[in-house]
């Protein structure tokens, strides 16, 4: 499975945008980029995923570099509820199973 | 619609005992996967079931097993419990297989082995 690299922690102020980076220099052409987050005392929660183009949903935006070797999860206005560990995960199109390989993720702290 | 339901939420067992955890996926979802989360190892994939068949297995000893029923509900079993099996066990369901879909996680079962 291709590997991702994320900063251990980041801080943000409430109501400001947050950009969470992820490096995946060994990504293959068939790998999808997924983001999940885990709030304290809860199971992980799906955030967004994409293959090549930038993606938007009600929770966040995913910006994918043109060479696909990095991506950025964008929370447009951070709230206290967004304080969580964010995981960037690659999923191989050739892997038909549903297996997520979690790294250590980025712990996001949101200051009021 | 109802989310992924895991029971029980908390469990305390003694070393050497066995335990069975249950997961009810979102209605209509046929893929169920299990994960173990510990402070030291983080989130690790245990196994995935689809249509009552184990499709993929993580790097865990044979003491960890599971099954899936015809209604897609799944159980995992850990035999001969060890202190190191203390963890949060998470179940996730997905409507389809493959990478272009999301998984929905339950709240987990917190297992403590004493």
């Amino acid at each position: 499975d291709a590997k991702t690299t994320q900063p251990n922690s980041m801080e943000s102020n409430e109501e400001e945008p947050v950009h969470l980076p992820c490096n995946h220099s060994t990504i293959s052409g068939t790998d999808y980029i997924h983001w999940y987050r885990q709030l304290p005392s809860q199971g992980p929660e799906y955030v967004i995923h994409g293959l090549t183009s930038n993606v938007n949903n009600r929770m966040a935006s995913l910006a994918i570099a043109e060479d696909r070797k990095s991506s950025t999860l964008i929370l447009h206005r951070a709230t206290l509820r967004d304080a969580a560990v964010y995981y960037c995960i690659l999923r191989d199109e050739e892997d038909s199973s549903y297996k997520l390989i979690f790294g250590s993720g980025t712990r996001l702290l949101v200051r009021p | 619609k109802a989310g992924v339901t895991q029971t029980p939420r908390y469990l305390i067992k003694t070393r050497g005992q066995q335990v069975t955890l249950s997961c009810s996926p979102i209605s209509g979802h046929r893929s169920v996967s299990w994960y173990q989360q510990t402070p030291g190892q983080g989130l690790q994939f245990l196994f995935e079931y689809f249509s009552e068949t184990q499709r993929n297995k993580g790097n865990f000893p044979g003491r960890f097993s599971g099954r899936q029923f015809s209604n897609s509900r799944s159980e995992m079993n850990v035999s001969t419990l060890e202190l190191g099996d203390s963890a949060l066990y998470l179940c996730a369901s997905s409507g389809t297989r493959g990478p272009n879909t999301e998984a929905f996680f339950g709240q987990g079962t917190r297992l403590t082995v004493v």
Side-chain angles (χ1 to χ4, degrees):
Chain A
D1 299 297
K3 188 173 170 53
T4 63
T5 305
Q6 299 177 253
N8 288 336
S9 63
M10 291 185 65
E11 294 187 14
S12 172
N13 294 319
E14 198 176 11
E15 298 190 4
E16 290 185 354
V18 182
H19 291 231
L20 297 166
C22 180
N23 287 320
H24 27 78
S25 58
T26 59
I27 192 170
S28 75
T30 54
D31 283 338
Y32 282 77
I33 302 160
H34 285 246
W35 284 82
Y36 283 77
R37 71 180 185 181
Q38 188 172 21
L39 279 64
S41 303
Q42 295 192 26
E45 174 186 33
Y46 167 80
V47 178
I48 200 167
H49 77 281
L51 183 61
T52 55
S53 305
N54 294 344
V55 185
N56 300 296
N57 66 19
R58 64 175 179 80
M59 287 182 69
S61 295
L62 175 60
I64 301 173
E66 199 168 327
D67 64 5
R68 300 186 73 237
K69 293 185 186 300
S70 65
S71 61
T72 302
L73 179 71
I74 303 165
L75 307 179
H76 296 285
R77 286 185 67 201
T79 69
L80 296 178
R81 194 191 172 278
D82 292 322
V85 179
Y86 287 78
Y87 298 97
C88 169
I89 301 167
L90 300 183
R91 297 271 348 274
D92 184 356
E93 188 177 60
E94 295 177 359
D95 177 7
S96 61
S97 71
Y98 210 94
K99 177 175 80 174
L100 294 169
I101 305 299
F102 287 85
S104 53
T106 296
R107 183 174 298 279
L108 176 65
L109 171 67
V110 180
R111 291 185 293 259
Chain B
K1 57 184 174 182
V4 176
T5 304
Q6 292 188 246
T7 56
R9 289 292 311 279
Y10 302 92
L11 207 48
I12 300 175
K13 289 286 190 179
T14 305
R15 267 183 303 175
Q17 287 186 313
Q18 75 165 18
V19 67
T20 299
L21 312 181
S22 179
C23 172
S24 293
I26 290 173
S27 178
H29 284 192
R30 294 165 62 195
S31 172
V32 174
S33 51
W34 288 87
Y35 296 81
Q36 180 196 65
Q37 185 170 29
T38 60
Q41 299 297 320
L43 273 155
Q44 293 185 286
F45 171 78
L46 276 158
F47 27 65
E48 185 219 359
Y49 285 86
F50 183 83
S51 293
E52 302 177 64
T53 302
Q54 186 179 92
R55 304 290 179 161
N56 210 329
K57 190 176 194 305
N59 189 24
F60 279 82
R63 299 186 297 107
F64 291 82
S65 63
R67 59 178 176 169
Q68 186 179 34
F69 302 94
S70 58
N71 62 358
S72 294
R73 190 177 70 85
S74 177
E75 290 180 347
M76 69 162 281
N77 184 278
V78 188
S79 63
T80 320
L81 283 165
E82 300 176 0
L83 295 179
D85 297 333
S86 295
L88 179 66
Y89 289 89
L90 292 154
C91 160
S93 78
S94 180
T96 59
R97 305 184 75 216
N100 190 19
T101 186
E102 63 263 38
F104 297 85
F105 283 80
Q107 297 259 47
T109 294
R110 170 79 57 189
L111 171 66
T112 302
V113 182
V114 296

